[in-house]
């Protein structure tokens, strides 16, 4: 993944047929009806005009505003049911218990919902992207399980519950993450309906790239190597690299997979890729702000852990207020990528950008 120069972003915030018309139904139509000894004419023009007026009234009625809360609840419920069905409790019991413990522990399901919304934006339907949406959530869950391990962030709390290794032990936690990662690709390959094999293969390639040494793993390694280094050794460009790969890459994959599987053309896929990179960085900027402004109870995870680990964050380099300003600019850039799409179909992605910018946990 190419890296965007975040330093320049801080200053500029720039990423990236009359002849065929049908005859009017209101034209007067006369039907001659012959009766004995007289001839009568029945006019139906008034009836047709009333029907046309009723149709026009329906078309002109303002549509209800997009209900983001209702949309998220409905989509999250669909995703949760699909995840429950995909990873059932079977032998070996222990590993499946561990997988389900973290996978079904709740969460906002932002990544899978982004995948479904992108699919529908380009003309697809939910079922086409649901296996990919679940796969992205499986991989996200894997990253959380591994990230919480003592050899990584050594965290005891995740989504308000004890972390996986605290419940099942480090050995089973590692294997649960591995199993979720492997199964995610199988799930896309085997269960994606009504999509051409070429698009499924393309989607799998995108996902693999997003989580390997060009994506999530790359960001995680650089993040680990940056611990303990002061802000004089880590500039905005290095911080950008970490989060474009560690955080934004999986969000980008979620959106791009949805666009590919939904039948989007190359131009649509690339616009949505840029949208996803913006909200991926936005997600991390907001996360860094919340880490130093909210409590563990409010976050559902350990607050202030970046300060304890002496990690370089956006607030540490830019300050709280500049970080908030930067988040606002990223949100604006993201929404600009959706110009040209059907406004109604783009409404969920616009609302998701607003939600990520304004979330409190």
């Amino acid at each position: 993944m190419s890296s965007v120069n975040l330093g320049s972003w801080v200053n500029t915030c720039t990423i990236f047929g009359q002849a065929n018309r049908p005859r009017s139904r209101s034209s007067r139509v006369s039907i001659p009806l012959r009766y004995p000894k007289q001839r009568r004419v029945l006019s139906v023009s008034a009836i047709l005009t009333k029907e046309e007026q009723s149709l026009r009234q329906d078309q002109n009625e303002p549509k209800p505003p997009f209900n983001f809360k209702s949309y998220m609840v409905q989509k999250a419920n669909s995703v949760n049911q699909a995840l429950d069905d995909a990873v059932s409790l079977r032998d070996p019991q222990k590993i499946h218990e561990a997988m389900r413990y973290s996978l079904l522990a709740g969460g906002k399901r932002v990544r899978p919902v982004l995948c479904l919304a992108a699919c529908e934006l380009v003309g697809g339907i939910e079922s086409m992207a649901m296996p990919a949406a679940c796969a992205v959530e499986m991989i996200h869950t894997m990253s959380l399980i591994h990230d919480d391990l003592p050899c990584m962030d050594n965290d005891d709390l995740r989504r308000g519950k004890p972390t996986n290794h605290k419940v099942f032990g480090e050995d089973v936690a590692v294997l649960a993450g591995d199993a979720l990662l492997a199964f995610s690709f199988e799930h896309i390959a085997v269960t994606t309906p009504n999509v051409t094999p070429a698009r499924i293969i393309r989607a799998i390639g995108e996902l693999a790239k997003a989580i390997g040494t060009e994506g999530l793993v790359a960001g995680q390694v650089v993040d680990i190597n940056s611990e303990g280094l002061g802000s004089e050794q880590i500039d905005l460009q290095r911080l950008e690299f970490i989060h474009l790969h560690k955080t934004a890459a999986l969000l980008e994959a979620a959106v791009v997979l949805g666009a590919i599987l939904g039948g989007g053309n190359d131009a649509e896929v690339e616009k949505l890729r840029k949208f996803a990179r913006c909200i991926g960085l936005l997600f991390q900027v907001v996360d860094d702000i919340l880490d130093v402004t909210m409590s563990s109870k409010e976050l559902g995870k350990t607050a202030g852990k970046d300060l304890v680990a002496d990690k370089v964050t956006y607030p540490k380099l830019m300050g709280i207020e500049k970080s908030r300003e930067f988040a606002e600019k990223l949100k604006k850039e993201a929404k600009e990528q959706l110009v040209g799409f059907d406004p109604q179909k783009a409404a969920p992605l616009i609302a998701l950008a607003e939600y990520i910018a304004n979330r409190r946990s």
Side-chain angles (χ1 to χ4, degrees), residues 23-39:
R23 188 171 298 171
S24 172
R25 296 176 62 192
S26 63
S27 302
R28 186 176 183 83
V29 180
S30 298
I31 302 175
L33 301 178
R34 297 187 180 278
Y35 292 90
K37 299 182 181 180
Q38 62 180 346
R39 184 174 183 272

Side-chain angles (χ1 to χ4, degrees), residues 250-265:
L250 194 54
L251 279 161
E252 178 182 329
V255 173
V256 170
L257 262 63
I260 291 171
L261 296 170
N265 60 42

Side-chain angles (χ1 to χ4, degrees), residues 122-143:
V122 299
I125 58 175
E126 180 180 289
S127 62
M128 298 164 73
M130 184 59 81
C134 290
V136 168
E137 191 65 11
M138 291 173 196
I139 292 172
H140 176 55
T141 301
M142 173 277 295
S143 73

